[in-house]
Amino acid sequence: MEFKHTSVLLHETIDNLAPQNGGTYVDATFGGGGHARYLLRKLDKGNLIGFDQDQYAIDTAQSNFAAFLKEDSQPRLQLVHNNFSHLKEELAKLGISGIDGIYYDLGVSSPQLDQAERGFSYRFDARLDMRMDQSQDFDAYQLVNQYDQKQLADVLYRYGDEKFSRQIARKIVERRRGKPIETTFELVEIIKEAIPAAARRRGGHPAKKSFQAIRVEVNHELDVLRASLEEAISLLNPGGRISVITFQSLEDKIVKQTFKKYSEVEIPRGMPVVPEGIKPTLRLVNRKSITASEEELAENNRSHSAKLRVAEKL
């Protein structure tokens, strides 16, 4: 099996975790395992638990990481087929109550986009799907054909920042009155018809924002991110670190706000000593987000929108 995917901000993400031999680490979005392989090479001993809700990623990792999974003494890698919002539950099954580091590489992976049948991409014609977890019932086909006009417009505007959201939603509802909208290309054509010609000629593919918005809604990406960050922070041992790579502003806003909530405290004026209960939980490792180098930007187009934030448990 092949899972061709170039990891974004590879060294920055793992090096800023400051991994230590013997530590327990979590890869919340295993994917092709690029970050995991780099981390495992930096450790002579230690434990890495890789989460992915995509069965294809898990199956591929079973083959590509067989040496780490089948080590005689103690496997240095364990794989968990579940969404990263279930960190505590799944780690408890493995007897783990504290971790020394965790990292996230958010968004859809290159192999998911490149598998036409997954229905993620506007570049390939396929049934509307977009499920990261293929055991999930709800998919893009149901969203496009069942949401009412206001719900559709809200999703496109909130998660895709699509300024023509109302026009697109109206056109979708009109078209599906005749028959259900079944494929990605059908949806692309509807979106193109709804957007004025002048606007279609700038800003990239006209369906890009809408497809992103639908994918985020189908997979509840922002809700599960919030839940997972809370669990991750509570699981970190003192000195443990969390690294998060985001690719869109809504994700980055959630990470930034969560880190801020745990790294800043309001101290009443005149209080000489900060009570233990209101001391900050996190320390920001970098005040500003880390972005890709000029070299990486030239080599990997996906890195252009990437932002990395890192924090340490106090």
Side-chain angles (χ1 to χ4, degrees):
M1 285 187 192
E2 291 188 4
F3 200 115
K4 294 181 179 179
H5 175 77
T6 303
S7 298
V8 172
L9 295 166
L10 174 63
H11 296 92
E12 293 89 341
T13 301
I14 301 303
D15 291 348
N16 274 290
L17 281 183
Q20 303 294 317
N21 275 325
T24 298
Y25 298 91
V26 172
D27 184 329
T29 49
F30 195 85
H35 290 97
R37 192 174 296 279
Y38 178 59
L39 174 61
L40 289 166
R41 285 173 177 166
K42 290 177 73 71
L43 299 174
D44 295 325
K45 54 183 179 178
N47 189 22
L48 175 62
I49 299 90
F51 280 71
D52 208 297
Q53 62 184 334
D54 188 340
Q55 186 63 54
Y56 175 74
I58 295 293
D59 292 343
T60 306
Q62 294 281 0
S63 173
N64 293 346
F65 287 81
F68 293 106
L69 291 163
K70 299 174 182 177
E71 290 179 336
D72 293 335
S73 54
Q74 172 67 39
R76 285 201 288 151
L77 174 63
Q78 294 169 279
L79 298 173
V80 176
H81 179 217
N82 208 338
N83 184 276
F84 56 54
S85 62
H86 299 285
L87 289 174
K88 277 190 174 180
E89 173 191 345
E90 294 293 347
L91 291 176
K93 292 178 185 177
L94 300 174
I96 298 170
S97 58
I99 58 177
D100 300 298
I102 181 170
Y103 55 95
Y104 298 73
D105 181 2
L106 299 173
V108 65
S109 68
S110 300
Q112 287 170 329
L113 285 172
D114 292 338
Q115 288 178 298
E117 67 273 14
R118 298 294 295 271
F120 279 105
S121 178
Y122 45 76
R123 295 184 293 118
F124 307 113
D125 195 19
R127 182 187 182 278
L128 285 166
D129 190 329
M130 302 195 196
R131 293 171 298 167
M132 291 183 179
D133 178 357
Q134 298 246 275
S135 67
Q136 173 183 307
D137 291 329
F138 185 66
D139 62 9
Y141 173 85
Q142 294 177 58
L143 185 154
V144 169
N145 287 288
Q146 294 176 9
Y147 275 27
D148 64 31
Q149 187 170 315
K150 183 180 184 305
Q151 288 175 310
L152 285 168
D154 287 347
V155 166
L156 298 180
Y157 184 76
R158 185 183 305 123
Y159 300 142
D161 195 26
E162 175 55 74
K163 64 181 180 179
F164 299 105
S165 59
R166 291 181 180 178
Q167 294 95 313
I168 294 170
R170 187 184 310 117
K171 185 69 71 172
I172 287 172
V173 172
E174 288 174 1
R175 184 66 62 87
R176 75 190 189 194
R177 288 194 186 115
K179 73 175 190 67
I181 299 164
E182 297 185 10
T183 71
T184 53
F185 276 12
E186 284 180 66
L187 182 58
V188 167
E189 191 59 35
I190 292 166
I191 293 168
K192 285 181 176 179
E193 289 177 12
I195 297 176
R200 292 201 305 268
R201 289 193 288 268
R202 58 180 186 272
H205 196 287
K208 181 178 181 179
K209 292 181 178 181
S210 294
F211 270 60
Q212 172 186 292
I214 293 169
R215 189 203 80 219
V216 169
E217 175 74 0
V218 165
N219 296 287
H220 308 292
E221 291 178 32
L222 302 185
D223 291 335
V224 298
L225 176 58
R226 288 187 188 93
S228 186
L229 290 175
E230 294 287 343
E231 289 202 357
I233 291 167
S234 68
L235 283 163
L236 281 175
N237 295 323
R241 291 188 174 189
I242 175 172
S243 295
V244 188
I245 307 170
T246 62
F247 293 90
Q248 49 133 312
S249 60
L250 291 174
E251 291 173 341
D252 183 57
K253 185 177 180 180
I254 289 171
V255 177
K256 184 178 180 179
Q257 289 178 341
T258 302
F259 283 7
K260 182 178 180 179
K261 179 173 77 170
Y262 286 101
S263 62
E264 296 181 5
V265 295
E266 290 188 13
I267 302 170
R269 186 174 297 178
M271 184 173 286
V273 179
V274 180
E276 189 67 33
I278 64 169
K279 287 185 177 178
T281 302
L282 297 178
R283 175 185 71 84
L284 300 183
V285 174
N286 300 89
R287 283 286 166 186
K288 293 184 177 180
S289 61
I290 300 169
T291 55
S293 65
E294 291 295 328
E295 181 180 1
E296 182 171 4
L297 289 172
E299 294 178 353
N300 187 359
N301 186 59
R302 187 169 175 259
S303 67
H304 282 258
S305 56
K307 290 184 177 181
L308 170 65
R309 296 187 186 275
V310 186
E312 179 180 299
K313 185 77 167 281
L314 297 174

mmCIF file of all heavy atoms in Angstrom, residues 91-118:
data_model
loop_
_atom_site.group_PDB
_atom_site.id
_atom_site.type_symbol
_atom_site.label_atom_id
_atom_site.label_comp_id
_atom_site.label_asym_id
_atom_site.label_seq_id
_atom_site.Cartn_x
_atom_site.Cartn_y
_atom_site.Cartn_z
ATOM 1 N N LEU A 91 -6.757 5.947 25.391
ATOM 2 C CA LEU A 91 -5.499 5.804 26.126
ATOM 3 C C LEU A 91 -5.721 5.035 27.421
ATOM 4 O O LEU A 91 -4.851 4.258 27.853
ATOM 5 C CB LEU A 91 -4.894 7.175 26.403
ATOM 6 C CG LEU A 91 -4.360 7.927 25.179
ATOM 7 C CD1 LEU A 91 -3.878 9.320 25.572
ATOM 8 C CD2 LEU A 91 -3.231 7.155 24.508
ATOM 9 N N ALA A 92 -6.871 5.215 28.050
ATOM 10 C CA ALA A 92 -7.182 4.465 29.278
ATOM 11 C C ALA A 92 -7.217 2.970 28.994
ATOM 12 O O ALA A 92 -6.788 2.157 29.829
ATOM 13 C CB ALA A 92 -8.510 4.939 29.855
ATOM 14 N N LYS A 93 -7.708 2.592 27.820
ATOM 15 C CA LYS A 93 -7.729 1.173 27.446
ATOM 16 C C LYS A 93 -6.318 0.604 27.373
ATOM 17 O O LYS A 93 -6.108 -0.599 27.558
ATOM 18 C CB LYS A 93 -8.421 0.998 26.091
ATOM 19 C CG LYS A 93 -9.911 1.308 26.093
ATOM 20 C CD LYS A 93 -10.471 1.159 24.690
ATOM 21 C CE LYS A 93 -11.938 1.571 24.616
ATOM 22 N NZ LYS A 93 -12.469 1.496 23.225
ATOM 23 N N LEU A 94 -5.353 1.478 27.069
ATOM 24 C CA LEU A 94 -3.949 1.054 26.973
ATOM 25 C C LEU A 94 -3.214 1.229 28.297
ATOM 26 O O LEU A 94 -2.002 1.027 28.371
ATOM 27 C CB LEU A 94 -3.238 1.860 25.879
ATOM 28 C CG LEU A 94 -3.801 1.728 24.458
ATOM 29 C CD1 LEU A 94 -3.094 2.685 23.504
ATOM 30 C CD2 LEU A 94 -3.672 0.289 23.955
ATOM 31 N N GLY A 95 -3.939 1.652 29.331
ATOM 32 C CA GLY A 95 -3.333 1.849 30.643
ATOM 33 C C GLY A 95 -2.532 3.125 30.756
ATOM 34 O O GLY A 95 -1.648 3.234 31.610
ATOM 35 N N ILE A 96 -2.845 4.112 29.927
ATOM 36 C CA ILE A 96 -2.100 5.380 29.905
ATOM 37 C C ILE A 96 -2.984 6.493 30.455
ATOM 38 O O ILE A 96 -4.077 6.732 29.952
ATOM 39 C CB ILE A 96 -1.645 5.729 28.475
ATOM 40 C CG1 ILE A 96 -0.700 4.644 27.946
ATOM 41 C CG2 ILE A 96 -0.978 7.101 28.435
ATOM 42 C CD1 ILE A 96 -0.392 4.770 26.464
ATOM 43 N N SER A 97 -2.490 7.186 31.475
ATOM 44 C CA SER A 97 -3.242 8.292 32.070
ATOM 45 C C SER A 97 -2.531 9.628 31.919
ATOM 46 O O SER A 97 -3.100 10.680 32.230
ATOM 47 C CB SER A 97 -3.499 8.023 33.553
ATOM 48 O OG SER A 97 -2.257 7.847 34.242
ATOM 49 N N GLY A 98 -1.285 9.603 31.456
ATOM 50 C CA GLY A 98 -0.520 10.832 31.244
ATOM 51 C C GLY A 98 0.414 10.677 30.060
ATOM 52 O O GLY A 98 0.919 9.581 29.796
ATOM 53 N N ILE A 99 0.634 11.778 29.331
ATOM 54 C CA ILE A 99 1.498 11.738 28.148
ATOM 55 C C ILE A 99 2.518 12.876 28.208
ATOM 56 O O ILE A 99 2.317 13.869 28.904
ATOM 57 C CB ILE A 99 0.682 11.841 26.841
ATOM 58 C CG1 ILE A 99 -0.147 13.142 26.807
ATOM 59 C CG2 ILE A 99 -0.219 10.622 26.681
ATOM 60 C CD1 ILE A 99 -0.923 13.349 25.503
ATOM 61 N N ASP A 100 3.602 12.713 27.462
ATOM 62 C CA ASP A 100 4.677 13.706 27.469
ATOM 63 C C ASP A 100 4.666 14.611 26.244
ATOM 64 O O ASP A 100 5.429 15.576 26.179
ATOM 65 C CB ASP A 100 6.022 12.977 27.574
ATOM 66 C CG ASP A 100 6.107 12.144 28.844
ATOM 67 O OD1 ASP A 100 6.047 12.745 29.934
ATOM 68 O OD2 ASP A 100 6.189 10.904 28.736
ATOM 69 N N GLY A 101 3.803 14.302 25.304
ATOM 70 C CA GLY A 101 3.689 15.158 24.129
ATOM 71 C C GLY A 101 2.611 14.654 23.198
ATOM 72 O O GLY A 101 2.310 13.450 23.158
ATOM 73 N N ILE A 102 2.010 15.582 22.455
ATOM 74 C CA ILE A 102 0.990 15.237 21.473
ATOM 75 C C ILE A 102 1.046 16.243 20.335
ATOM 76 O O ILE A 102 1.351 17.421 20.558
ATOM 77 C CB ILE A 102 -0.416 15.212 22.113
ATOM 78 C CG1 ILE A 102 -1.483 14.823 21.081
ATOM 79 C CG2 ILE A 102 -0.778 16.549 22.762
ATOM 80 C CD1 ILE A 102 -2.858 14.534 21.691
ATOM 81 N N TYR A 103 0.795 15.787 19.118
ATOM 82 C CA TYR A 103 0.792 16.694 17.982
ATOM 83 C C TYR A 103 -0.356 16.363 17.034
ATOM 84 O O TYR A 103 -0.829 15.234 16.960
ATOM 85 C CB TYR A 103 2.130 16.674 17.241
ATOM 86 C CG TYR A 103 2.597 15.315 16.775
ATOM 87 C CD1 TYR A 103 2.344 14.879 15.491
ATOM 88 C CD2 TYR A 103 3.333 14.481 17.630
ATOM 89 C CE1 TYR A 103 2.782 13.642 15.052
ATOM 90 C CE2 TYR A 103 3.770 13.240 17.202
ATOM 91 C CZ TYR A 103 3.496 12.820 15.917
ATOM 92 O OH TYR A 103 3.917 11.588 15.500
ATOM 93 N N TYR A 104 -0.816 17.413 16.348
ATOM 94 C CA TYR A 104 -1.923 17.328 15.402
ATOM 95 C C TYR A 104 -1.488 17.919 14.071
ATOM 96 O O TYR A 104 -0.878 18.983 14.036
ATOM 97 C CB TYR A 104 -3.122 18.153 15.880
ATOM 98 C CG TYR A 104 -3.772 17.764 17.181
ATOM 99 C CD1 TYR A 104 -3.146 18.010 18.408
ATOM 100 C CD2 TYR A 104 -5.057 17.204 17.199
ATOM 101 C CE1 TYR A 104 -3.760 17.693 19.607
ATOM 102 C CE2 TYR A 104 -5.689 16.892 18.397
ATOM 103 C CZ TYR A 104 -5.036 17.133 19.598
ATOM 104 O OH TYR A 104 -5.648 16.830 20.782
ATOM 105 N N ASP A 105 -1.863 17.254 12.985
ATOM 106 C CA ASP A 105 -1.709 17.783 11.624
ATOM 107 C C ASP A 105 -3.117 17.778 11.040
ATOM 108 O O ASP A 105 -3.581 16.767 10.512
ATOM 109 C CB ASP A 105 -0.762 16.890 10.827
ATOM 110 C CG ASP A 105 -0.530 17.386 9.405
ATOM 111 O OD1 ASP A 105 -1.083 18.449 9.043
ATOM 112 O OD2 ASP A 105 0.196 16.713 8.652
ATOM 113 N N LEU A 106 -3.814 18.896 11.161
ATOM 114 C CA LEU A 106 -5.241 18.939 10.893
ATOM 115 C C LEU A 106 -5.580 19.007 9.401
ATOM 116 O O LEU A 106 -4.711 19.226 8.569
ATOM 117 C CB LEU A 106 -5.872 20.129 11.625
ATOM 118 C CG LEU A 106 -5.735 20.090 13.152
ATOM 119 C CD1 LEU A 106 -6.235 21.397 13.767
ATOM 120 C CD2 LEU A 106 -6.483 18.902 13.752
ATOM 121 N N GLY A 107 -6.866 18.855 9.106
ATOM 122 C CA GLY A 107 -7.332 18.954 7.735
ATOM 123 C C GLY A 107 -7.336 17.613 7.030
ATOM 124 O O GLY A 107 -7.068 16.567 7.612
ATOM 125 N N VAL A 108 -7.630 17.654 5.751
ATOM 126 C CA VAL A 108 -7.692 16.438 4.952
ATOM 127 C C VAL A 108 -6.305 16.118 4.407
ATOM 128 O O VAL A 108 -5.528 17.024 4.090
ATOM 129 C CB VAL A 108 -8.713 16.604 3.803
ATOM 130 C CG1 VAL A 108 -8.274 17.677 2.825
ATOM 131 C CG2 VAL A 108 -8.972 15.291 3.084
ATOM 132 N N SER A 109 -5.966 14.840 4.342
ATOM 133 C CA SER A 109 -4.632 14.454 3.876
ATOM 134 C C SER A 109 -4.608 14.329 2.360
ATOM 135 O O SER A 109 -5.651 14.155 1.708
ATOM 136 C CB SER A 109 -4.212 13.122 4.506
ATOM 137 O OG SER A 109 -5.020 12.067 4.016
ATOM 138 N N SER A 110 -3.418 14.385 1.800
ATOM 139 C CA SER A 110 -3.264 14.283 0.347
ATOM 140 C C SER A 110 -3.849 12.984 -0.210
ATOM 141 O O SER A 110 -4.541 13.006 -1.234
ATOM 142 C CB SER A 110 -1.782 14.399 -0.030
ATOM 143 O OG SER A 110 -1.264 15.642 0.391
ATOM 144 N N PRO A 111 -3.597 11.820 0.414
ATOM 145 C CA PRO A 111 -4.181 10.581 -0.111
ATOM 146 C C PRO A 111 -5.706 10.594 -0.110
ATOM 147 O O PRO A 111 -6.332 10.045 -1.016
ATOM 148 C CB PRO A 111 -3.634 9.508 0.838
ATOM 149 C CG PRO A 111 -2.362 10.073 1.342
ATOM 150 C CD PRO A 111 -2.643 11.540 1.502
ATOM 151 N N GLN A 112 -6.313 11.201 0.896
ATOM 152 C CA GLN A 112 -7.770 11.283 0.911
ATOM 153 C C GLN A 112 -8.267 12.117 -0.268
ATOM 154 O O GLN A 112 -9.246 11.765 -0.928
ATOM 155 C CB GLN A 112 -8.248 11.895 2.234
ATOM 156 C CG GLN A 112 -8.104 10.947 3.416
ATOM 157 C CD GLN A 112 -8.353 11.635 4.752
ATOM 158 O OE1 GLN A 112 -8.085 12.821 4.916
ATOM 159 N NE2 GLN A 112 -8.847 10.886 5.715
ATOM 160 N N LEU A 113 -7.579 13.226 -0.546
ATOM 161 C CA LEU A 113 -7.952 14.064 -1.683
ATOM 162 C C LEU A 113 -7.735 13.344 -3.008
ATOM 163 O O LEU A 113 -8.506 13.500 -3.946
ATOM 164 C CB LEU A 113 -7.141 15.362 -1.669
ATOM 165 C CG LEU A 113 -7.536 16.415 -0.637
ATOM 166 C CD1 LEU A 113 -6.513 17.536 -0.628
ATOM 167 C CD2 LEU A 113 -8.929 16.966 -0.911
ATOM 168 N N ASP A 114 -6.664 12.547 -3.066
ATOM 169 C CA ASP A 114 -6.293 11.900 -4.320
ATOM 170 C C ASP A 114 -7.088 10.632 -4.607
ATOM 171 O O ASP A 114 -7.060 10.132 -5.737
ATOM 172 C CB ASP A 114 -4.799 11.582 -4.331
ATOM 173 C CG ASP A 114 -3.940 12.845 -4.379
ATOM 174 O OD1 ASP A 114 -4.469 13.879 -4.809
ATOM 175 O OD2 ASP A 114 -2.768 12.782 -3.982
ATOM 176 N N GLN A 115 -7.776 10.089 -3.609
ATOM 177 C CA GLN A 115 -8.638 8.931 -3.840
ATOM 178 C C GLN A 115 -9.997 9.445 -4.323
ATOM 179 O O GLN A 115 -10.817 9.890 -3.524
ATOM 180 C CB GLN A 115 -8.805 8.116 -2.558
ATOM 181 C CG GLN A 115 -7.564 7.329 -2.155
ATOM 182 C CD GLN A 115 -7.788 6.576 -0.856
ATOM 183 O OE1 GLN A 115 -8.037 7.165 0.188
ATOM 184 N NE2 GLN A 115 -7.704 5.266 -0.918
ATOM 185 N N ALA A 116 -10.219 9.355 -5.617
ATOM 186 C CA ALA A 116 -11.424 9.948 -6.199
ATOM 187 C C ALA A 116 -12.701 9.449 -5.539
ATOM 188 O O ALA A 116 -13.639 10.217 -5.302
ATOM 189 C CB ALA A 116 -11.456 9.646 -7.700
ATOM 190 N N GLU A 117 -12.725 8.157 -5.203
ATOM 191 C CA GLU A 117 -13.948 7.569 -4.668
ATOM 192 C C GLU A 117 -14.332 8.104 -3.291
ATOM 193 O O GLU A 117 -15.467 7.915 -2.832
ATOM 194 C CB GLU A 117 -13.822 6.037 -4.601
ATOM 195 C CG GLU A 117 -12.807 5.507 -3.611
ATOM 196 C CD GLU A 117 -11.395 5.404 -4.161
ATOM 197 O OE1 GLU A 117 -11.137 5.998 -5.228
ATOM 198 O OE2 GLU A 117 -10.555 4.739 -3.522
ATOM 199 N N ARG A 118 -13.405 8.803 -2.624
ATOM 200 C CA ARG A 118 -13.719 9.356 -1.302
ATOM 201 C C ARG A 118 -14.583 10.616 -1.401
ATOM 202 O O ARG A 118 -15.146 11.061 -0.407
ATOM 203 C CB ARG A 118 -12.422 9.674 -0.535
ATOM 204 C CG ARG A 118 -11.529 8.467 -0.260
ATOM 205 C CD ARG A 118 -12.169 7.477 0.682
ATOM 206 N NE ARG A 118 -12.369 8.027 1.995
ATOM 207 C CZ ARG A 118 -11.469 7.981 2.977
ATOM 208 N NH1 ARG A 118 -10.292 7.407 2.772
ATOM 209 N NH2 ARG A 118 -11.748 8.487 4.165
#
